């Protein structure tokens, strides 16, 4: 995260903090600024001898704004606030960009006529996400702060890896580690004492759209992200690989909610497997693979009808899904308090 923080400092935060929290004990005149190129900065503020770069591969030259705020880059409160804004706003940016792309380019809008599609569902999914992300960011910032303070095992140059092949092995190791712990955390959230308060908000969406991907209770969303943040404290991870994985995880989370059942794989826990989870609640808790569901006895193969557009959108398949879903939902939740659109149910009867 130190690389991301340096980028945001250079292009956004240095100027922002210089304007909002200027170094009030220093007077900056036009004459000083005009002659800054030939001065030693001693007339303004002693220029730090080292604004250390987070990576040797991305060395951004700070502007003069980097030295004009009462909160320097290494100020703890500035770092905490900056990390919070990055986690919240950059996370929101990634969510809206990729969920929108998936919604308009991948998601099958015929899902709107499914009898279990909710009234105003997309709006509700986005609203839930916008409420969750700021609080999830609060819970996540301590991990990022510990990282930039050097407590994680993040490394910069490939030569700093434990051994050369580790630069490749870190990726499957990350997937296996996080998939295992996300599985058990997710399964734990389905315990009756946890489900109603923390996980039910995400299961409001029986037929999710890509915008449901981050529509969690904040504690639920944070809890399932903990393995991703713990990993670099236990295992070495290259800094840019970490950024890549952070973005990829968010895209993957969107992809498994897009309703486009491309992969009928016994290994990959893709959108079809995750649809089974939203429909029938107690299956397919894994994030990336079906391994831990198989070992934990919670794997359910996707209905074969999902892999043909004609059959997955057929009235008979929807009726079969609805009948079983209602039985499972009753046993898990009791009375169904979702607001299904009467209009959509009427339309769905016309779908053959």
């Amino acid at each position: 995260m130190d690389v991301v923080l340096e980028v945001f400092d250079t292009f956004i935060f240095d100027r922002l903090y210089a304007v909002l929290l200027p170094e009030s004990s220093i007077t900056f005149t036009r004459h000083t600024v005009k002659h800054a190129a030939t001065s030693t900065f001693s007339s303004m503020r002693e220029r730090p001898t080292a604004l250390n770069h987070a990576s040797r591969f991305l060395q951004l030259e700070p502007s003069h704004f980097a030295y004009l705020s009462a909160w320097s880059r290494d100020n703890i409160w500035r770092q905490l606030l900056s990390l919070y804004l990055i986690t919240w706003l950059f996370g929101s940016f990634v969510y809206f960009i990729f969920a929108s792309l998936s919604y308009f380019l991948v998601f099958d809008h015929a899902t709107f006529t499914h009898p279990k599609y909710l009234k105003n569902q997309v709006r509700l999914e986005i609203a839930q996400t916008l409420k969750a992300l700021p609080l999830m960011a609060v819970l996540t910032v301590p991990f990022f702060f510990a990282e930039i303070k050097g407590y994680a095992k993040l490394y910069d140059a490939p030569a700093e890896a434990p051994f050369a092949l580790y630069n490749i092995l870190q990726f499957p190791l990350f997937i296996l580690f996080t998939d295992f712990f996300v599985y058990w955390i997710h399964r734990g959230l389905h315990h009756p004492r946890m489900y109603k308060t923390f996980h039910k908000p995400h299961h409001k969406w029986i037929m999710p759209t890509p915008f449901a991907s981050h529509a969690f209770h904040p504690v639920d969303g944070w809890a399932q992200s903990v393995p991703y943040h713990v990993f670099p404290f236990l295992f070495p991870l290259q800094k840019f690989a970490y950024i890549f994985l952070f973005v990829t995880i968010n895209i993957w989370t969107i992809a498994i909610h897009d309703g486009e059942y491309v992969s009928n794989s016994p290994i990959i826990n893709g959108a079809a497997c995750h649809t089974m989870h939203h429909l029938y609640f107690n299956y397919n808790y894994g994030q990336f693979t079906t391994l831990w569901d198989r070992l934990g006895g919670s794997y359910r193969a996707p209905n074969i009808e999902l892999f043909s557009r004609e059959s997955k959108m057929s009235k008979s398949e929807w009726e079969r899904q609805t009948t079983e879903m209602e039985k499972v939902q009753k046993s898990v939740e009791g009375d169904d308090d979702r607001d299904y659109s009467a209009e959509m149910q009427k339309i769905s009867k016309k779908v053959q």
Side-chain angles (χ1 to χ4, degrees), residues 10 39 51 70 90 112 196 216 244 250 271 293 306 315 327:
T10 302
S39 73
L51 273 181
F90 182 64
F112 294 158
K196 185 175 182 180
F216 292 98
F244 169 78
N250 281 275
D293 280 297
L306 296 181
K315 182 179 179 181
K327 292 179 181 179

Side-chain angles (χ1 to χ4, degrees), residues 56-272:
R56 70 190 66 182
F57 303 112
L58 185 67
Q59 300 192 10
L60 300 172
E61 184 65 26
S63 70
H64 70 283
F65 290 110
Y67 312 101
L68 305 186
S69 174
W71 280 10
S72 62
R73 284 191 181 185
D74 59 357
N75 179 281
I76 291 176
W77 300 113
R78 168 172 167 165
Q79 290 175 335
L80 287 169
L81 178 58
S82 297
L83 289 170
Y84 173 75
L85 292 173
I86 292 170
T87 307
W88 172 29
L89 299 178
F90 182 64
S92 300
F93 174 81
V94 171
Y95 164 74
F96 276 110
I97 290 297
F98 290 102
S100 297
L101 288 172
S102 179
Y103 179 79
F104 289 110
L105 301 179
V106 179
F107 177 69
D108 193 333
H109 290 206
T111 304
F112 294 158
T113 61
H114 193 286
K116 293 302 176 181
Y117 186 84
L118 302 185
K119 182 179 181 180
N120 301 318
Q121 182 169 312
V122 169
R123 188 174 69 186
L124 292 171
E125 290 169 341
I126 293 174
Q128 177 66 37
T129 301
L130 292 178
K131 287 192 296 184
L133 288 179
L135 295 174
M136 288 169 61
V138 170
L139 298 171
T140 303
V141 162
F143 290 108
F144 291 149
F145 184 70
E147 288 173 18
I148 68 171
K149 291 302 182 183
Y151 293 103
K153 297 184 177 182
L154 294 166
Y155 65 92
D156 189 25
E160 297 171 6
F163 51 91
L165 187 59
Y166 187 83
N167 290 296
I168 297 174
L169 294 179
Q170 63 183 328
F171 294 100
L173 178 60
F174 180 90
I175 295 299
L176 287 172
F177 176 90
T178 57
D179 198 37
F180 172 77
F181 284 102
V182 169
Y183 170 82
W184 286 109
I185 291 169
H186 189 179
R187 187 163 184 168
L189 286 162
H190 276 260
H191 188 280
R193 292 184 178 179
M194 302 290 290
Y195 177 82
K196 185 175 182 180
T197 300
F198 297 114
H199 197 51
K200 185 179 178 181
H202 186 63
H203 270 275
K204 183 174 184 176
W205 332 112
I206 302 300
M207 293 301 296
T209 80
F211 291 107
S213 58
H214 292 65
F216 292 98
H217 184 288
V219 173
D220 177 8
W222 171 79
Q224 294 194 61
S225 75
V226 165
Y228 307 128
H229 301 299
V230 168
F231 181 89
F233 290 92
L234 301 178
F235 302 97
L237 187 63
Q238 202 277 331
K239 291 182 177 183
F240 287 96
Y242 182 41
I243 297 170
F244 169 78
L245 288 167
F246 175 82
V247 175
T248 301
I249 289 164
N250 281 275
I251 295 174
W252 177 260
T253 302
I254 291 167
I256 63 175
H257 292 87
D258 67 13
E260 188 60 29
Y261 313 123
V262 176
S263 174
N264 187 13
S265 170
I267 299 173
I268 300 174
N269 191 0

Side-chain angles (χ1 to χ4, degrees), residues 290-311:
T290 64
L291 173 62
W292 308 114
D293 280 297
R294 290 177 182 277
L295 294 176
S298 55
Y299 174 69
R300 174 166 176 164
N303 299 344
I304 194 64
E305 289 81 5
L306 296 181
F307 299 98
S308 165
R309 190 180 189 283
E310 290 73 21
S311 59

